[in-house]
Amino acid sequence: MTHLTALALALFLDALVGDPRWLPHPVRGMGKLIASLDRRWNNGTKRKAKGVAALVVVLAVVYGLSALAVAAGYAVSLYVGVAVESVLIFTAIATKSLAVAAEEVRRPLEAGDLSKARQALSMIVGRDTERLDEAGITRACIETVAENTSDGITAPLFYAAIGGAPLALLYRAVNTCDSMIGYKNEKYREFGWAAARFDDVLNYVPARLTALVMVLVFGGRRLRAALAILFRDARRHPSPNSGWLEAAMAGLLGVQLGGTNTYGGLVSVRPTLGDAVVPLCPAHIRRAVAIMIGTVLVFAFLLWIGGMIVAMASAWGESARAL
């Protein structure tokens, strides 16, 4: 029950303040630790083993510190413990900041300022943005919103419901490791192997649950088509998890995602997801953000209901044993 209460408060805090730059953020600390280990250990031989060790160090530090902070809070009082836990969970999710970042792309795009839209987009994607046209900018923004619905919001909420703030931050640490060192290039193929694989494992269930919630809640008249696209196209994506979110969003919007991207000047051709029922336009970004926010709220509600059922069943079981 304390985890569920903290989860609800965390969502309220995120809606209220988002991710202000002045606020100390655990993810920045994770990034500094990962970067330090990268500089020290990502060299010479046995890089895969060093990468595993680096991941273990990061997870031990993050989980240990967050668990100590939560325990200290509950040692003071139940209310302080819930407050500490809610703040920590709040730092692991990014609903408002993702919505704001997407809107910062959409507004100049609708105004015809492609240069400003590309600049805003470059802050949230890894692909090259300098030559993207309106459709390319729109597609990149929608794909990022879709992918991060799970990566940055529902997955940490899922683990918060199971194990509170420490488990939510542990997931966030794995996801941060993956985003920093989980590349398949020469430098990180071995060193980032463990981070990339563990991120795939941890996000396996949340990604699929999120995609199903997304389609079932927002399918409407396109429900059958969106479900068909989800199960047809999800596995086409190079990522075992991101494809589920992007295929779901493509099906709901009636657009086609995926295709050719450029990273550091290198062209990457990916399979397309969805059918181009309508051409991509900036208005689809607004719709994608609305779907993201609605999906998060429904997902959190389902977690809360599920947690309540488990708590009531546990209490009933204890009462039955006492009798």
Side-chain angles (χ1 to χ4, degrees):
M1 287 302 300
T2 56
H3 295 334
L4 296 175
T5 303
L7 185 153
L9 289 172
L11 281 171
F12 175 76
L13 281 173
D14 181 62
L16 190 65
V17 299
D19 183 19
R21 297 182 185 277
W22 55 264
L23 186 68
H25 203 293
V27 173
R28 298 190 188 102
M30 295 176 196
K32 290 180 180 179
L33 176 59
I34 295 164
S36 175
L37 293 171
D38 183 16
R39 288 192 301 271
R40 293 171 182 269
W41 292 355
N42 189 12
N43 52 64
T45 60
K46 300 181 180 179
R47 291 194 186 190
K48 183 175 286 189
K50 291 176 182 177
V52 172
L55 179 64
V56 170
V57 168
V58 171
L59 298 190
V61 170
V62 170
Y63 189 86
L65 290 177
S66 56
L68 283 173
V70 170
Y74 281 113
V76 175
S77 75
L78 176 65
Y79 299 109
V80 173
V82 171
V84 170
E85 195 161 16
S86 64
V87 169
L88 290 178
I89 296 172
F90 151 68
T91 65
I93 60 178
T95 314
K96 185 172 183 178
S97 61
L98 180 58
V100 169
E103 284 297 295
E104 288 178 350
V105 175
R106 182 191 63 79
R107 284 195 295 269
L109 194 59
E110 286 192 338
D113 191 344
L114 295 187
S115 177
K116 189 173 182 179
R118 292 185 189 112
Q119 184 179 8
L121 179 65
S122 69
M123 303 300 292
I124 58 174
V125 300
R127 72 192 68 180
D128 300 338
T129 63
E130 295 84 358
R131 299 182 180 180
L132 293 179
D133 59 10
E134 181 184 281
I137 295 170
T138 300
R139 176 169 69 84
C141 188
I142 292 172
E143 288 172 355
T144 297
V145 170
E147 178 181 354
N148 282 287
T149 300
S150 178
D151 277 0
I153 312 169
T154 58
L157 288 177
F158 178 82
Y159 287 105
I162 295 173
L167 201 57
L169 285 172
L170 182 141
Y171 165 80
R172 202 74 176 93
V174 173
N175 189 248
T176 305
C177 284
D178 179 52
S179 66
M180 292 183 66
I181 63 174
Y183 300 105
K184 295 181 180 179
N185 55 28
E186 184 64 27
K187 182 177 181 180
Y188 291 114
R189 184 173 290 107
E190 293 189 3
F191 188 73
W193 172 83
R197 296 291 77 75
F198 199 29
D199 182 71
D200 288 343
V201 170
L202 288 186
N203 206 12
Y204 188 90
V205 172
R208 285 152 179 77
L209 291 178
T210 304
L212 287 172
V213 169
M214 187 180 286
V215 171
L216 293 175
V217 172
F218 292 97
R221 294 178 179 179
R222 288 195 53 80
L223 178 60
R224 291 181 64 181
L227 280 172
I229 288 170
L230 175 64
F231 291 108
R232 184 193 74 189
D233 294 351
R235 294 175 181 83
R236 293 181 180 179
H237 198 282
S239 166
N241 299 320
S242 297
W244 285 82
L245 283 307
E246 292 185 23
M249 189 68 79
L252 291 173
L253 297 178
V255 300
Q256 191 170 81
L257 302 178
T260 302
N261 300 321
T262 305
Y263 300 89
L266 300 177
V267 176
S268 173
V269 180
R270 297 180 176 182
T272 55
L273 309 175
D275 298 326
V277 179
V278 294
L280 284 161
C281 67
H284 286 123
I285 297 176
R286 187 195 295 272
R287 176 62 177 159
V289 169
I291 290 172
M292 178 270 291
I293 293 173
T295 298
V296 169
L297 292 176
V298 172
F299 190 91
F301 177 74
L302 293 175
L303 287 177
W304 208 86
I305 294 298
M308 286 289 292
I309 293 172
V310 171
M312 291 173 64
S314 177
W316 181 84
E318 290 180 3
S319 298
R321 284 193 294 271
L323 294 175

